[in-house]
Amino acid sequence: MAKSKQEASAAGKPRETGRANEAARSAREEERARETPEARQERKQRVLTQGQPAIVGSIADAVSVKNLNLFYVAAPDGQLPLKGDHGFGLYLNDCRFLCGYEMTIAGVAPLPLASTAERGFRALFELTNPDLHLDGNKLIPNEELGIRWERILDADQAAAHEILTFRNFGQDACDLPVTLRFNAGFEDVFNVRELLLEVPGNPDPPAWRDGKLQFVYHGADRIRRKVTIQFSPAPDSTEETAATFRINVPARDASAISVTIACSEQAEDEEPERRMPQLSTRVNDLIGSLRKDSKRWMGQHTKMQSDSLLLNSVVDRSLRDLGMLRSQLQGEQYFAAGVPWFVALFGRDSLIVALEMLAFKPDIATQTLRLLARYQGERVDGWRDEQPGKILHELRVGELAGTGEIPHTPFYGTVDATPLFLLLLGRLSAWTGDLALFHELRDPVEHALAWIDEYGDISGQGYVEYQCASEKGLVNQGWKDSGDAIVRADGTLATPPIALVEVQGYVYAAKYSIADLYERAGEPERASELRREADALRTRFNRDFWCEEDGIFVLALEAEGRQAAVVSSNPGQALWTGIADEEKAHRTVARLLKDDMFSGWGVRTLSTEERRYNPVGYHLGTVWPHDNALLAAGFRRYREDAAALKIFTATTEAAMHFRHHRLPEAMAGFRREDFRVPVHYPVACHPQAWAAGAVPLLLTTCLGLEPDAFAGKLRIVRPRLPDFVDRIELRDLHVGQGTADLEFRRTANGAAVDVLRTTAQLDVDVEE
């Protein structure tokens, strides 16, 4: 059927946008070509130290698939542009192996219709044709072809398997000239994010060998990286980096091309790997295996079902995204922080998402703690910001790390991972009722506590502070780690050493959590000592961090104990830990829900009334789902239930507007009334781990789940349901050795709880 003029105009917009983006990329490339070495070094230093996610073009509409350490990020039409600055590509181990991959038919790009990566390991793109002028003046009118591009990731083989199916809806057979063009840049992910423009290693010229296209790169880290691309059927003709096929498609029938793109890494002194994954028969087996793995992953969680289709979909999406974000290192699994920039082990991120998921999937918390303990700091190393007992910030395994160009081997520039490590251990133990992990990690626990008291307190004021020691480290080292995130009321930047408001809460809660474990392990004196330290910290905190004029705790104390007195979301995370005095906590909640802070989609990172407010500033006015989930937990802690439910509803309704109901890393801080939909933050990771964990934590919090597995008990304290839900059912909720099936039903005063089933003598107590 022919399109209306309006439909035809709309169909043309993606192409017009593509030309505009290409022009913008060309302008950036010209600007970079004129850049002096000094300016380039300054830019590199700025990005390394400022905590920016990336300075490439938007990836808001990217379609991403991931299988353990292998992941693929593509444009909505499945393509990877051959030119320009972008984050699309096929990545493995901090390296973008494939950076360009374009398909044309008779020299013309197909038009996108739909795309999905809903299952995480498989992407599907549905395309069609514009008018195609073939040899002999034959015309294939627009939309006569259906083009299905299927992409499946095989982590075991480090390969992407692809099937391109061309369906002819016309009445005559056609011979389609299909060309696939490739480019492999082997850029380190920091290079992709535009920290460096140079490629430190040496690529071989692309070559065709035995019908396969190969790209080989000899890294400066003495690692040989290779991309091998094979096809079925074989191409009819080849160029330097292109394969052309003459695809005969009978009328009302289909023909296909299969492509396998394999990545490999080997030490330079090893013989080149000649094995290639099987192309055709493996795909169906692989899909079946990945489906089973996905089903197994979903079956291992606490099951949630409600009478809200939206909530069901958001939770399902969260759990599938976290399954997708699983990564592996030294035999342990952890949640990578986010695709594409942060597919790596992060101290803060991996710990927070493990905390968010304790009621749904606690075993990854165990593996995360073990893994981070192995990399715990052992010495003073200014280059890596390492100190004895400190928990790492970020571990990278790419070329720039291997050559020492960046300090992420690992890099320890974070002030909060160490107390969060202790806090997670304590809260995990409350869910498991087992001291075995505490005994196993006894030395790392003591080293972490020593770091808090000795190295963390830089100025001797009794607070954990940061001041970057590495010339290529992060200027700011809390969760708001961009270089301009920690500001004063006059808009200027705070001066280190900086004590963040939420970090003091983490320390307070960590010491209380670990004190409980020492008590249970038969060391009451050590437990009492930690509680005294925590209580003293709480007293100082409520005196020094409170701003009476603003009616809220300040963002931070900077050098010489001066207050960075801006209104920010950070104090809400401090409430989560319980460090705030009661009256100050209630005033803080009220301040966070005023219009200058609450956007309608959640609480902003910075008030619109502050001088540095920017609705698309990374930490200067955006809305972060994980931040809001922690705020809601803080509100609940101080019996501000209505405020917590307001966050729950806003966060879930925001998810409704994103593809597959996937919450992004961050949203712009514009008012809900302005656009009626949340505005994308252009380079936000998606999927992103602690965003995926936000709604599971909101459920845990608002349903009032408080475990005491050591006593064989689950307390349900003041259960509440958000306005859009009347019934929630949880099944296979694990507490210690027991499980529980629970149903929550809305009542006039809150929620009633029916205990449907328990095992292993688990007691469930409901409290108001």
Side-chain angles (χ1 to χ4, degrees):
M1 181 181 295
K3 278 189 171 73
S4 67
K5 289 183 179 179
Q6 292 87 347
E7 290 173 321
S9 174
K13 285 181 181 178
R15 181 166 293 187
E16 293 168 10
T17 302
R19 285 197 291 266
N21 288 342
E22 182 61 37
R25 285 194 293 267
S26 297
R28 286 199 299 271
E29 288 174 346
E30 291 176 7
E31 182 181 347
R32 296 288 167 77
R34 297 191 297 268
E35 191 175 40
T36 65
E38 293 78 12
R40 182 177 301 174
Q41 181 63 26
E42 181 182 348
R43 178 172 57 82
K44 170 186 171 183
Q45 184 75 5
R46 183 174 64 252
V47 179
L48 273 168
T49 61
Q50 299 301 306
Q52 292 175 274
I55 54 176
V56 297
S58 173
I59 57 168
D61 59 354
V63 178
S64 302
V65 286
K66 180 178 177 293
N67 188 350
L68 294 179
N69 298 349
L70 180 72
F71 65 97
Y72 212 142
V73 182
D77 60 357
Q79 313 264 28
L80 312 180
L82 289 167
K83 294 182 179 180
D85 298 331
H86 60 78
F88 304 123
L90 177 62
Y91 293 76
L92 175 69
N93 295 337
D94 286 337
C95 176
R96 181 169 68 174
F97 279 71
L98 196 71
C99 62
Y101 182 5
E102 292 184 346
M103 172 178 61
T104 58
I105 307 172
V108 180
L111 301 175
L113 295 175
S115 59
T116 183
E118 193 270 338
R119 293 298 177 184
F121 57 81
R122 173 179 177 261
L124 185 63
F125 305 89
E126 196 68 42
L127 316 171
T128 190
N129 64 294
D131 286 346
L132 296 177
H133 298 275
L134 306 183
D135 295 341
N137 294 322
K138 180 173 182 179
L139 172 68
I140 299 181
N142 67 306
E143 300 177 349
E144 193 159 287
L145 299 177
I147 305 156
R148 173 165 288 207
W149 195 343
E150 187 175 13
R151 181 172 288 154
I152 305 102
L153 292 188
D154 183 351
D156 292 338
Q157 301 283 350
H161 297 279
E162 308 196 356
I163 302 172
L164 293 90
T165 303
F166 301 85
R167 182 168 294 279
N168 181 0
F169 295 111
Q171 302 304 311
D172 300 311
C174 58
D175 287 311
L176 300 177
V178 177
T179 299
L180 305 178
R181 298 184 184 277
F182 302 89
N183 188 24
F186 300 98
E187 307 103 321
D188 189 281
V189 69
F190 279 76
N191 200 315
V192 179
R193 291 163 61 191
E194 300 210 349
L195 282 87
L196 293 171
L197 296 181
E198 305 83 6
V199 178
N202 298 297
D204 288 346
W208 287 88
R209 295 186 176 89
D210 301 324
K212 304 177 185 69
L213 175 60
Q214 288 191 345
F215 298 86
V216 178
Y217 176 75
H218 304 277
D221 58 350
R222 302 292 300 160
I223 299 296
R224 180 173 60 246
R225 296 172 174 87
K226 182 167 66 173
V227 171
T228 303
I229 307 169
Q230 73 169 353
F231 311 89
S232 178
D236 292 282
S237 63
T238 62
E239 302 171 42
E240 183 182 19
T241 61
T244 297
F245 305 80
R246 302 292 305 194
I247 303 297
N248 179 266
V249 190
R252 316 301 296 177
D253 205 345
S255 297
I257 301 171
S258 296
V259 182
T260 289
I261 307 166
C263 306
S264 66
E265 295 182 312
Q266 287 181 286
E268 283 286 8
D269 56 2
E270 292 181 11
E271 284 296 317
E273 176 65 65
R274 299 189 180 279
R275 180 178 55 87
M276 185 73 186
Q278 292 298 311
L279 184 64
S280 56
T281 58
R282 180 163 174 76
V283 171
N284 289 334
D285 292 342
L286 178 62
I287 291 173
S289 174
L290 292 173
R291 281 176 177 160
K292 287 180 181 178
D293 180 68
S294 178
K295 185 176 181 179
R296 183 166 52 250
W297 165 259
M298 296 299 288
Q300 291 170 350
H301 295 88
T302 298
K303 319 298 185 302
M304 194 286 306
Q305 191 69 27
S306 77
D307 62 345
S308 166
L309 295 177
L310 174 60
L311 182 60
N312 295 343
S313 178
V314 173
V315 172
D316 182 77
R317 177 77 270 140
S318 294
L319 299 180
R320 290 187 186 281
D321 279 355
L322 288 167
M324 178 179 170
L325 286 166
R326 285 175 296 167
S327 292
Q328 194 163 290
L329 182 65
Q330 296 187 6
E332 306 284 5
Q333 286 195 356
Y334 64 94
F335 292 120
V339 174
W341 314 123
F342 303 123
V343 179
L345 177 64
F346 275 75
R348 176 195 311 120
D349 296 61
S350 298
L351 288 162
I352 285 180
V353 70
L355 276 160
E356 291 176 319
M357 289 295 292
L358 283 175
F360 285 81
K361 183 69 175 172
D363 63 310
I364 286 192
T366 301
Q367 297 180 68
T368 301
L369 288 165
R370 284 178 173 146
L371 192 53
L372 290 171
R374 291 175 197 170
Y375 288 98
Q376 189 172 33
E378 296 179 347
R379 58 187 177 275
V380 175
D381 180 348
W383 165 244
R384 299 193 301 164
D385 240 334
E386 180 182 4
Q387 293 163 338
K390 200 174 186 182
I391 298 299
L392 67 82
H393 171 59
E394 182 178 358
L395 175 66
R396 293 291 184 170
V397 296
E399 183 180 13
L400 297 185
T403 58
E405 183 68 26
I406 57 174
H408 299 65
T409 56
F411 177 56
Y412 291 84
T414 176
V415 73
D416 49 14
T418 307
L420 286 170
F421 173 86
L422 297 170
L423 181 55
L424 176 60
L425 176 59
R427 297 204 173 178
L428 171 64
S429 300
W431 281 98
T432 64
D434 191 349
L435 288 176
L437 187 62
F438 171 66
H439 290 306
E440 177 186 335
L441 300 180
R442 177 65 174 271
D443 287 345
V445 165
E446 279 296 330
H447 296 328
L449 289 167
W451 178 85
I452 287 172
D453 294 336
E454 297 172 22
Y455 293 95
D457 187 3
I458 297 171
S459 61
Q461 301 299 310
Y463 298 118
V464 170
E465 306 160 299
Y466 65 85
Q467 182 167 12
C468 183
S470 173
E471 65 180 31
K472 293 187 180 179
L474 290 166
V475 171
N476 286 317
Q477 298 190 354
W479 86 261
K480 295 180 179 177
D481 56 5
S482 52
D484 57 0
I486 310 304
V487 296
R488 306 183 183 105
D490 63 3
T492 58
L493 302 182
T495 302
I498 293 171
L500 294 168
V501 60
E502 76 277 12
V503 172
Q504 315 319 311
Y506 298 166
V507 172
Y508 170 81
K511 288 193 173 183
Y512 255 95
S513 292
I514 295 300
D516 183 61
L517 299 185
Y518 274 109
E519 187 87 50
R520 294 181 183 281
E523 298 184 49
E525 296 84 3
R526 183 65 169 132
S528 297
E529 179 184 18
L530 290 172
R531 291 182 184 122
R532 284 194 301 271
E533 293 170 0
D535 290 339
L537 171 60
R538 182 179 187 183
T539 300
R540 293 192 303 273
F541 172 87
N542 283 277
R543 178 192 67 208
D544 297 341
F545 278 82
W546 181 251
C547 179
E548 183 63 30
E549 180 180 353
D550 290 334
I552 193 172
F553 292 101
V554 299
L555 170 59
L557 301 183
E558 59 171 328
E560 299 177 1
R562 298 186 301 269
Q563 289 189 343
V566 293
V567 178
S568 71
S569 64
N570 299 54
Q573 291 200 22
L575 301 191
W576 167 58
T577 68
I579 195 173
D581 288 344
E582 195 79 22
E583 185 263 346
K584 292 182 173 69
H586 293 299
R587 291 180 64 186
T588 294
V589 173
R591 185 66 189 86
L592 289 173
L593 291 182
K594 288 187 175 181
D595 289 345
D596 63 307
M597 284 300 290
F598 187 77
S599 75
W601 303 116
V603 175
R604 298 179 179 93
T605 43
L606 191 68
S607 165
T608 61
E609 297 176 356
E610 298 296 347
R611 292 195 179 194
R612 290 302 290 267
Y613 168 74
N614 179 350
V616 290
Y618 196 41
H619 298 117
L620 294 173
T622 48
V623 175
W624 292 61
H626 92 279
D627 186 30
N628 276 264
L630 293 173
L631 265 59
F635 296 172
R636 283 275 292 170
R637 184 163 193 139
Y638 290 90
R639 303 185 69 88
E640 293 278 2
D641 298 340
L645 292 172
K646 186 174 184 177
I647 296 288
F648 195 158
T649 298
T651 301
T652 310
E653 290 179 349
M656 177 172 60
H657 297 283
F658 292 97
R659 180 195 288 262
H660 304 316
H661 294 162
R662 169 181 286 156
L663 283 166
E665 176 184 19
M667 298 170 272
F670 298 109
R671 295 188 312 160
R672 182 170 181 164
E673 292 79 3
D674 290 342
F675 299 103
R676 301 294 178 182
V677 295
V679 177
H680 285 268
Y681 181 75
V683 293
C685 290
H686 57 95
Q688 204 261 2
W690 60 17
V695 172
L697 177 60
L698 285 165
L699 277 167
T700 304
T701 296
C702 292
L703 295 181
L705 306 180
E706 296 188 6
D708 183 1
F710 289 105
K713 181 183 295 185
L714 172 67
R715 297 171 60 229
I716 301 177
V717 181
R718 300 190 328 278
R720 300 290 185 268
L721 303 182
D723 291 343
F724 62 95
V725 183
D726 289 324
R727 183 187 63 81
I728 293 176
E729 187 175 298
L730 298 180
R731 291 191 177 272
D732 296 326
L733 174 67
H734 285 260
V735 181
Q737 299 301 310
T739 61
D741 294 346
L742 309 167
E743 184 179 60
F744 299 81
R745 290 176 288 103
R746 177 182 301 284
T747 64
N749 300 319
V753 182
D754 292 330
V755 180
L756 306 177
R757 181 186 66 90
T758 62
T759 65
Q761 289 78 50
L762 176 66
D763 291 329
V764 179
D765 292 340
V766 182
E767 305 173 14
E768 272 295 332

